[in-house]
Each structure stands twice: as C-alpha cells, then as structure tokens.
Amino acid sequence: MNTTSETNKQKTNIRHKALTVIGTVLCIILVPILIVNCTLIIRSYTNSEKVPSIGGYCPMIVLTDSMYDVIESGDLIFCKSIDAKDVKEQDIISFFDPSSNTQSVVTHRVVEVTTDKNGNIAWRTKGDANNIEDQALVPAENLVGIYTGTSISGAGDFVIFLSTTWGLVIFVALPLVLLIIYDIIRRRTYEKIKQKDTDALLAELEALRAEKVDKDGSNAG
C-alpha cells in the first residue's frame, strides 16, 4: 500500500469523524431548542388566550420580586397543569390576573381556598414579599398551573430575547441553517473520501500492472 495515500486516507477519515462529532453536538444542542421554540411560537399564535405549554408544562418569566426570595425577578420558572380541586393552601400557582384588563399572568401563593359568589372554587393569593393579599379572588377558570419548584435564575431575560426578531433569527433560523450547512459539508466530505479511496485503489492497480509488465519483460529478456 502506498504510504502517501494511506496517510491521506487517515487524515480524511479523521476529518470526517471530527465533522460527525461536531454535527452530533449541534443536533443535541440546537434541535431541542428549535423544536421547543417552534412549538411555543405556534401555540402562542393558535391560542393567544392560553399560555403555551409542552406536555402540560409551561415556562413562565418572572418580572417582579413579589415572591422574593422563593422566586426572583428575571427567573424562568416551570409550572404544570393541575385540576383546580387539587390546589391547596400554601401552593404557589400561576394565574391570569383577575384585576387586570390584559392577559397578564401572576405567580403568587395561595393563602386561602374559598369560593366565589357563584359557589365555584376560588383562591385568595398573596405575594410572599407583599404586605397585603391580592385584592381580587382568583377564579378556577383563571388557573394556568402550579409552580413545580423548578426555576432557572436569570434565564427569564434570555427567554424574552428569544421572542424578539433577533432571538428568532439566532435560535430558530440559524440552527436550521447550521444543520443544512453541516449536512452539505458532511456529504461533500464523504464523497471526497470515497473518491480518494477510489483513486488510490486505481493507482495501486495501475502500479501492480506496471510492475507485472516490467517483471514479464525481464523474464522474457
């Protein structure tokens, strides 16, 4: 076997393996981000009156310190869907603010389980850092979910960035472009390796034929 061709083959194989590792890492990192972002974006447009969720879990961005120091402003928290009858006192719940004209969501602690004027389940809530309870009772229909106890400190700002144009470009469009570019490079690298292997094999066959011709010529002489 030709030493030069063997060395080149080893180099191309190493390069191909490196690209494969890079591609795998990109897939592990970018694909979940892409799937989650696309799912949340689609759900937010198809049902704007409901908080987007995946598998019953929804990420929530905390904008105030009303629940300090359990939850802080800028945290990204996770809530899960729960039946209204399963909510108990001291649970921390996320709900559409009944005293707001907008679709703002509040995350506060339940200090009392009661009923509204129609006899339906309702809750009296309060922020841990607030001096007084929330003015309006929270009706069961306003419930978004219960706080799971899982939060990522400071990640809320990052999630807000994801909803901007640049965030969509970087974390939705860019992952797609990178995956496409990787696939193109991987295919071309594979074709080059395949072609080099073919060329090396042909060169070896040609060398063997030439060696045989020389040998036959020497024997004839």
Side-chain angles (χ1 to χ4, degrees), residues 72-181:
E72 299 182 30
S73 175
D75 286 355
L76 176 67
I77 66 172
F78 295 89
C79 297
K80 67 176 180 179
S81 300
I82 187 174
D83 196 297
K85 61 181 175 51
D86 294 327
V87 175
K88 306 180 296 296
E89 286 187 16
Q90 298 306 310
D91 285 342
I92 298 175
I93 61 172
S94 293
F95 53 90
F96 288 103
D97 188 356
S99 62
S100 174
N101 294 325
T102 64
Q103 291 293 312
S104 61
V105 177
V106 176
T107 300
H108 279 175
R109 190 181 300 278
V110 175
V111 294
E112 181 185 2
V113 178
T114 182
T115 56
D116 60 19
K117 59 183 180 181
N118 297 319
N120 298 316
I121 295 175
W123 306 285
R124 194 171 302 282
T125 55
K126 176 181 176 297
D128 287 0
N130 294 344
N131 294 323
I132 59 174
E133 299 173 345
D134 300 332
Q135 292 184 352
L137 286 177
V138 180
E141 62 188 27
N142 284 35
L143 179 65
V144 172
I146 186 171
Y147 174 50
T148 63
T150 301
S151 66
I152 304 176
S153 179
D157 292 335
F158 173 71
V159 175
I160 291 176
F161 175 70
L162 287 180
S163 64
T164 65
T165 300
W166 276 109
L168 292 175
V169 169
I170 294 174
F171 291 98
V172 176
L174 184 59
L176 280 175
V177 172
L178 289 175
L179 288 173
I180 292 172
I181 291 174

Side-chain angles (χ1 to χ4, degrees), residues 43-63:
R43 292 193 176 186
S44 66
Y45 279 103
T46 56
N47 194 347
S48 59
E49 295 183 355
K50 188 175 181 180
V51 176
S53 64
I54 298 176
Y57 289 82
C58 54
M60 309 289 295
I61 303 170
V62 180
L63 300 178

Side-chain angles (χ1 to χ4, degrees), residues 24 32 35 64 194 203 210:
T24 302
I35 292 174
T64 72
K194 189 176 180 180

Side-chain angles (χ1 to χ4, degrees), residues 3 7 33 38-40 49 92 104 118 136 138 141 144 159 167 182 189 197 200 205:
T3 304
T7 301
I33 293 176
C38 288
T39 302
L40 294 178
E49 295 183 355
I92 298 175
S104 61
N118 297 319
V138 180
E141 62 188 27
V144 172
V159 175
Y182 161 72
T189 301
D197 288 345
L205 290 174

Side-chain angles (χ1 to χ4, degrees), residues 1-15 196:
M1 178 73 70
N2 186 287
T3 304
T4 302
S5 62
E6 179 66 24
T7 301
N8 290 336
K9 183 177 179 179
Q10 290 177 353
K11 288 181 179 180
T12 52
N13 284 336
I14 292 173
R15 191 180 303 115
K196 285 183 177 181

Side-chain angles (χ1 to χ4, degrees), residues 208-221:
L208 289 172
R209 278 196 293 265
E211 184 180 343
K212 185 178 180 182
V213 170
D214 291 342
K215 194 173 186 180
D216 291 344
S218 300
N219 291 336

